[in-house]
Amino acid sequence: MAAIAGQQQTDLREPKGWRRTSNRIVTWLMVLAFVVVLIPLGFVLVTTVAKGISIISWQFLTADIPPNVVPANIGGMGPAIVGTIEITALATIMAVPLGILGAIYLNEYGGKNWLAALIGFFSDVMTGVPSIIMGLFIFAIWVLHFGFSGFAGALALGCLMLPIVIRSTYEMLRLVPNALREGSYALGATKARVTMTVVLPAAIGGIVSGAMLAVARAVGETAPLLFTILTVTTVNKNVFSGPNTSLPSQIFANANSPFVGAQARGWGAALTLIVIAFVLMIVARFITARFSRFSR
Amino acid sequence: MEQSEQDVATSTQLPKPQVQATASPDTFDTGTHIFDVDKVSCYYSSFRAVTDVSLKIHENEITAFIGPSGCGKTTVLRTLNRMNDLIPGAHVEGDIRYRGASLYAKEVSPIAVRRRIGMVFQKPNPFPKSIYDNVAYGPRINGERNKAKLNEIVERSLRGAALWDEVKDRLKASGLGLSGGQAQRLCIARTLAVEPDVVLMDEPCSALDPIATGAIEDLMKEIKSRYTIVIVTHNMQQATRVSDRTAFYSVLRNEESDTRTGVLVEYGRTQQIFEDPHDPRTQAYVTGRMG
């Protein structure tokens, strides 16, 4: 220690006391919170895989939905998978472009004017509207006049996605540094050009992520579909007319059934849905990476 | 005058007048005026940032704006290509004539103005695109689609900005991967690519090291035969090194109403401003006693 006479070695360790204690407590609390968050996630995943994996087969993914009394090895979820993909795709086509354009208006054009403030406010309110209300809303304004259809379900899901897309895109656009906009303006670009060629490309990664989150949210929604598409047992290729079905609706219906076969098909449908959402997330990551290859 | 205002608004390509014979160094007010700033005051909402600035900027010269922080140099610079239009609440009183046409006339399009009067910013702001696309951006938004022509413009502009040799093998790499000095030269190349008449530079070297600064200063001297340059700088040595004329701005405080505003104190040839300043405030600033 005191190699040089009279000179004490400087103590650079963290001093004991409340500061070190509190640091450790908070660090462990964060680890604990992380574990607590993971527990339900892990249980959901493990249970679904355990109960659903045995039923998954090509036949399950393609065959028509049998009556509930039929045992698990007959029939499948084909119509629900087709319906989910159709309805979600249609909802995405309606909600994502509209939401992105809305966010562009809010951030690039609206500024602080009353219309932008109003739209921003109501889009935030819409985020908080329970999904079943969206279903009832579409039931009242569409289904009562034109009947049940996949399109009605897509409208309800679109209403649900719209505020999510607007909010996430808006936040991403706000992150684009003003210096980039000015750089473009200084070259004589119009506002539309600046938005299309500089602002959107700079924010595209985040915008795609946000849109994909909205899609993932919509893909698993049951409530808005209850009053808009009903359920069917065969594939309805026409998304614009006639009742349709979807994985979440089918999970809901089968879970209410007392029959073992129906319940097993429900678990299989749940697993399929999780896989679809998972694949969407991975695709979103790839798209984000591809689009943001020029960022630092 | 009505006629020339019309010209700016409608024609996209304003013909550059012939360069006049070099004025004798003794006469101050000869040569072509690019800008004729006449009693300009700039406001941000109700705050008057700059009051009553009048000066003439000459063709193919480098004009430096110096002065302490908050004196309005950048504000004046940004009024010269209507960049301040982008700030909500900013407006201008007085008249700025660019080659005889009033910049703030009603029918003037700021887009047309900025296509002729380019700007380089304090912080390098390359777009998140490849080096090539950064430089080709301006020509592309002006409608240039010809691949060969774009290649030629990109090479010429990068050479013009003394960056070509460093990046010619990685034109497809991200513009964000360049060092600060390279990124700033990329921004200059991007500005040169649209072949502007005037290049405005807002403290272009303040984020750069001395070597990169030297490169950009050499570049400015090199290109001034083709462009008119107005530069805002905090660095007085830089002003003496590169500029032909210098405008010294200062802050005027009003003790009664506790407001402050920027004013133009003195404008003259750089040598005169630094060696024989007529105004005591200029003298205090350039000798380092104030600011």
Side-chain angles (χ1 to χ4, degrees):
Chain A
M1 281 287 273
I4 303 162
Q7 191 174 2
Q8 251 195 327
Q9 199 178 336
T10 316
D11 186 5
L12 291 175
R13 288 172 302 176
E14 193 176 22
K16 290 191 181 75
W18 173 237
R19 193 174 146 153
R20 186 167 78 170
T21 318
S22 62
N23 180 31
R24 286 186 180 174
I25 291 173
V26 174
T27 308
W28 280 108
L29 276 178
M30 280 194 282
V31 172
L32 191 71
F34 172 69
V35 173
V36 168
V37 168
L38 274 191
I39 288 171
L41 270 178
F43 269 115
V44 168
L45 206 60
V46 167
T47 315
T48 316
V49 171
K51 299 210 176 192
I53 194 76
S54 59
I55 198 175
I56 302 284
S57 64
W58 182 246
Q59 177 216 319
F60 177 80
L61 296 178
T62 52
D64 283 351
I65 301 166
N68 281 349
V69 289
V70 169
N73 58 355
I74 299 171
M77 278 292 159
I81 294 171
V82 172
T84 290
I85 292 171
E86 275 177 352
I87 293 166
T88 314
L90 200 57
T92 306
I93 290 167
M94 290 189 288
V96 169
L98 200 60
I100 292 177
L101 288 174
I104 289 173
Y105 175 75
L106 287 184
N107 196 52
E108 306 293 319
Y109 288 82
K112 290 192 172 72
N113 74 20
W114 63 270
L115 183 62
L118 197 74
I119 295 173
F121 174 74
F122 278 111
S123 109
D124 286 349
V125 169
M126 237 169 114
T127 318
V129 173
S131 55
I132 194 155
I133 306 288
M134 292 295 182
L136 282 172
F137 167 65
I138 297 300
F139 179 78
I141 68 157
W142 185 270
V143 176
L144 286 182
H145 303 289
F146 305 102
F148 295 100
S149 68
F151 181 70
L155 278 180
L157 291 185
C159 289
L160 207 66
M161 290 167 70
L162 194 58
I164 305 177
V165 176
I166 291 179
R167 183 42 65 180
S168 62
T169 307
Y170 176 74
E171 294 299 335
M172 286 303 135
L173 293 178
R174 262 164 41 112
L175 288 180
V176 175
N178 241 340
L180 287 184
R181 295 190 181 89
E182 288 198 334
S184 179
Y185 279 122
L187 294 168
T190 59
K191 190 162 204 159
R193 283 271 194 194
V194 173
T195 307
M196 287 301 294
T197 56
V198 171
V199 178
L200 276 184
I204 194 74
I207 293 174
V208 172
S209 299
M212 281 315 229
L213 279 176
V215 173
R217 161 94 197 268
V219 108
E221 275 294 343
T222 321
L225 301 179
L226 287 178
F227 310 107
T228 48
I229 65 169
L230 296 180
T231 56
V232 290
T233 55
T234 53
V235 173
N236 179 357
K237 281 193 183 125
N238 188 351
V239 77
F240 292 101
S241 91
N244 213 313
T245 189
S246 72
L247 284 168
S249 321
Q250 218 56 55
I251 294 167
F252 180 71
N254 283 31
N256 284 331
S257 156
F259 302 105
V260 183
Q263 286 176 6
R265 279 189 293 277
W267 282 110
L271 182 57
T272 315
L273 192 58
I274 288 178
V275 169
I276 289 176
F278 191 66
V279 168
L280 280 177
M281 282 297 161
I282 292 174
V283 169
R285 292 269 166 219
F286 270 108
I287 294 175
T288 311
R290 171 101 184 91
F291 275 124
S292 47
R293 65 193 186 284
F294 284 126
S295 46
R296 229 181 283 261
Chain B
M1 203 31 60
E2 206 57 42
Q3 186 55 44
S4 55
E5 283 174 7
Q6 205 63 26
D7 279 348
V8 164
T10 53
S11 74
T12 46
Q13 203 63 53
L14 202 70
K16 280 192 190 183
Q18 293 295 310
V19 180
Q20 297 195 344
T22 326
S24 102
D26 302 308
T27 49
F28 176 68
D29 204 14
T30 49
T32 310
H33 298 158
I34 293 290
F35 289 107
D36 190 342
V37 179
D38 190 19
K39 292 208 185 72
V40 161
S41 301
C42 309
Y43 296 80
Y44 294 114
S45 299
S46 59
F47 168 62
R48 186 155 69 178
V50 181
T51 306
D52 268 352
V53 169
S54 297
L55 56 84
K56 294 179 168 73
I57 287 164
H58 298 251
E59 186 170 42
N60 298 113
E61 286 190 359
I62 299 178
T63 306
F65 288 0
I66 61 168
S69 296
C71 68
K73 323 177 279 292
T74 300
T75 302
V76 173
L77 188 78
R78 288 168 61 97
T79 57
L80 296 181
N81 70 342
R82 298 197 51 172
M83 218 55 196
N84 268 357
D85 290 19
L86 303 174
I87 298 171
H91 60 107
V92 170
E93 275 174 11
D95 192 22
I96 301 177
R97 291 182 182 285
Y98 162 70
R99 290 190 184 278
S102 183
L103 274 185
Y104 283 83
K106 235 191 194 126
E107 64 276 15
V108 167
S109 148
I111 310 298
V113 169
R114 294 185 200 124
R115 283 193 181 168
R116 289 195 190 83
I117 307 170
M119 190 161 192
V120 176
F121 297 85
Q122 182 170 4
K123 274 195 204 146
N125 56 350
F127 301 135
K129 301 172 187 291
S130 71
I131 293 170
Y132 183 97
D133 289 341
N134 260 284
V135 182
Y137 183 86
R140 276 187 182 140
I141 61 172
N142 289 327
E144 185 59 63
R145 287 276 171 275
N146 185 328
K147 259 248 152 92
K149 208 153 185 195
L150 278 177
N151 289 342
E152 186 213 309
I153 292 174
V154 168
E155 178 170 348
R156 174 158 41 81
S157 309
L158 284 171
R159 279 189 196 281
L163 189 62
W164 175 253
D165 290 328
E166 290 162 60
V167 300
K168 64 181 174 204
D169 299 321
R170 47 177 177 137
L171 290 175
K172 295 286 166 214
S174 169
L176 296 177
L178 298 174
S179 72
Q182 289 174 325
Q184 192 63 300
R185 275 180 284 153
L186 178 65
C187 294
I188 293 175
R190 190 173 72 187
T191 306
L192 299 184
V194 293
E195 295 180 39
D197 183 23
V198 184
V199 179
L200 307 176
M201 295 181 160
D202 183 6
E203 297 181 41
C205 302
S206 65
L208 307 181
D209 68 65
I211 294 170
T213 304
I216 288 183
E217 286 177 5
D218 290 344
L219 173 63
M220 287 166 62
K221 285 185 232 168
E222 227 178 277
I223 62 175
K224 78 167 182 178
S225 59
R226 278 169 293 142
Y227 305 95
T228 304
I229 298 174
V230 185
I231 177 174
V232 166
T233 178
H234 266 299
N235 181 334
M236 283 185 273
Q237 281 74 39
Q238 182 169 58
T240 57
R241 281 193 301 263
V242 299
S243 71
D244 301 292
R245 286 168 212 263
T246 299
F248 170 65
Y249 293 80
S250 185
V251 183
L252 192 71
R253 283 191 182 76
N254 185 336
E255 300 297 345
E256 276 170 43
S257 57
D258 196 30
T259 53
R260 18 181 257 129
T261 187
V263 287
L264 175 64
V265 175
E266 193 171 353
Y267 178 48
R269 292 203 175 275
T270 299
Q271 201 179 2
Q272 178 255 309
I273 292 284
F274 283 93
E275 289 172 9
D276 176 28
H278 299 328
D279 193 291
R281 287 172 289 176
T282 317
Q283 190 173 21
Y285 187 79
V286 299
T287 53
R289 276 188 280 123
M290 164 262 200

